[in-house]
């Protein structure tokens, strides 16, 4: 809803100079309030660049203070966006984690909204890009305030800097994309199969699942059922019910002995026949 308020302030200055608003905070807060009135179902975000890509925490602190000032006057901000266009090779994972924690002091969820790294002016070589990608992924994954990670393009030929995080112009996966495949598509994406249940029909993940969206299925006696897009956000239980066919009872009349002896009873379940 509000993009780059620290760096871009033409409209804010124009409105203040015209006497429509008295201050920056009053101006920007009114943007949010008007947006909420028009679209009460929308997620209203604030977004800014050079928060992670910075030599110090100063920009992060300025961003946090602006957000808190807007909150103090009732601006309905739902989410903080960090663009994360990385052009520096002197940023560590600790720097990233610290700056995320500074913004988390607002109590708002945070999204990495535009991640990529820059090599068009020889800022980061391939090894540095891979390390930065890994540090960004790990620092955000470890922080409970983070609720999203968006790459600003994935394919070099369609990328604004010609250097997308994942694919070159021929759709070959780039070496610097390794953290994405190793972490997001590997370590952090459980692919469990043939998991048995106990005597009560319960399977316990024992803490082996991360928060996220899952596809889960269960099967027994050739019958399967499941659920897609199940969102796991905390410790919780999911029940999947299998509608197994009922047992059928058939007595062959011509097999009933005239002397009252034991008759032949056939129990049928699925395609299996059992003679008790």
């Amino acid at each position: 809803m509000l993009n780059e308020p620290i760096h871009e302030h033409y409209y804010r200055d124009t409105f203040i100079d015209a006497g429509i608003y008295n201050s920056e905070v009053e101006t920007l807060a009114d943007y949010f309030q008007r947006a909420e009135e028009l679209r009460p179902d929308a997620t209203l975000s604030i977004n800014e660049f050079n928060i992670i890509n910075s030599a110090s925490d100063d920009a992060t602190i300025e961003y946090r203070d602006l957000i808190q000032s807007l909150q103090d006057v009732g601006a309905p901000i739902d989410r903080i966006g960090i663009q994360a266009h990385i052009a520096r090779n002197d940023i560590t994972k600790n720097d990233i984690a610290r700056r995320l924690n500074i913004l988390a002091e607002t109590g708002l969820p945070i999204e990495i909204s535009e991640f990529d790294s820059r090599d068009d002016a020889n800022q980061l070589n391939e090894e540095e890009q891979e390390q930065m990608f890994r540090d960004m992924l790990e620092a955000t994954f470890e922080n409970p305030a983070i609720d999203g990670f968006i790459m600003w393009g994935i394919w070099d030929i369609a990328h604004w800097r010609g250097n997308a995080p994942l694919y070159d112009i021929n759709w070959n996966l780039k070496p610097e994309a390794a953290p994405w495949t190793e972490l997001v598509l590997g370590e952090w994406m459980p692919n469990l199969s043939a998991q048995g249940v106990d005597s009560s029909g319960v399977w316990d993940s024992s803490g082996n699942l991360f928060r996220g969206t899952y596809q889960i299925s269960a099967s027994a006696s050739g019958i399967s059922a499941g659920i897609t897009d199940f969102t796991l956000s905390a410790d919780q239980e999911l029940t999947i019910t299998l509608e197994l066919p009922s047992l059928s009872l058939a007595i062959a009349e011509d097999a009933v002995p005239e002397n009252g002896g034991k008759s032949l009873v056939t129990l049928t379940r699925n395609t299996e026949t059992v003679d008790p």
Side-chain angles (χ1 to χ4, degrees):
M1 206 295 295
L2 181 59
N3 196 44
E4 303 175 359
I6 294 176
H7 292 88
E8 305 294 340
H9 40 78
Y10 168 80
Y11 290 106
R12 177 195 70 196
D13 293 345
T14 300
F15 293 149
I16 293 174
D17 291 344
I20 299 173
Y21 300 105
N22 294 316
S23 67
E24 173 191 42
V25 169
E26 180 186 347
T27 307
L28 302 183
D30 194 49
Y31 293 174
F32 277 98
Q33 291 159 354
R34 288 172 181 264
E36 184 181 46
E37 291 174 2
L38 293 170
R39 289 288 303 275
D41 58 334
T43 299
L44 303 181
S45 299
I46 190 169
N47 194 43
E48 189 54 88
F49 66 91
N50 280 356
I51 302 302
I52 299 298
N53 185 57
S54 182
S56 72
D57 296 342
D58 291 349
T60 310
I61 294 170
E62 181 182 5
Y63 194 29
R64 178 205 61 193
D65 291 349
L66 173 61
I67 293 167
Q68 289 179 331
S69 295
L70 294 173
Q71 290 176 305
D72 290 344
V73 296
I77 305 173
D78 295 317
R79 182 171 56 202
I80 299 172
I82 302 174
Q83 291 187 19
H85 300 296
I86 307 299
R88 305 182 65 94
N89 60 7
D90 57 352
I91 303 167
T92 67
K93 179 181 174 181
N94 287 337
D95 293 332
I96 299 168
R98 187 177 60 256
R99 292 166 192 174
L100 294 176
N101 286 331
I102 290 172
L103 291 177
E105 294 172 10
T106 62
L108 295 173
I110 302 168
E111 181 174 78
I112 304 301
S113 58
E114 305 181 23
F115 172 78
D116 56 26
S117 54
R118 186 170 186 175
D119 72 346
D120 56 318
N122 298 318
Q123 282 95 338
L124 280 75
N125 59 37
E126 287 186 1
E127 292 76 17
E128 290 168 336
Q129 291 179 67
E130 178 180 348
Q131 186 61 53
M132 176 53 61
F133 201 0
R134 189 177 302 277
D135 289 344
M136 282 291 302
L137 288 172
E138 290 181 348
T140 52
F141 189 76
E142 293 165 5
N143 194 308
I146 300 296
D147 75 346
F149 191 109
I150 298 174
M151 285 180 281
W152 204 238
I154 62 171
W155 182 34
D156 278 358
I157 201 169
H159 191 266
W160 71 305
R161 284 175 169 167
N163 185 46
L166 298 185
Y167 296 100
D168 66 18
I169 61 174
N170 296 314
W171 286 106
N172 298 309
L173 193 65
K174 301 164 72 171
E176 52 267 41
W180 183 261
T181 57
E182 293 172 8
L183 298 174
V184 178
L185 303 182
E187 182 180 344
W188 300 341
M189 185 178 288
N191 185 18
L192 305 175
S193 61
Q195 302 288 301
V197 297
D198 62 20
S199 59
S200 300
V202 174
W203 173 70
D204 185 351
S205 69
S206 301
N208 293 326
L209 299 180
F210 296 109
R211 289 186 298 171
T213 303
Y214 287 86
Q215 176 178 322
I216 303 175
S217 64
S219 62
S221 300
I223 304 298
S224 297
I227 184 171
T228 59
D229 296 333
F230 172 71
T231 299
L232 180 66
S233 57
D235 289 343
Q236 58 196 106
E237 295 181 355
L238 170 68
T239 299
I240 297 177
T241 302
L242 301 180
E243 298 292 343
L244 299 177
S246 58
L247 295 175
S248 62
L249 177 64
I251 300 177
E253 292 182 0
D254 58 355
V256 179
E258 294 181 356
N259 61 4
K262 182 179 178 180
S263 63
L264 174 66
V265 179
T266 301
L267 296 177
T268 303
R269 181 176 183 178
N270 296 338
T271 59
E272 299 176 354
T273 300
V274 180
D275 294 327

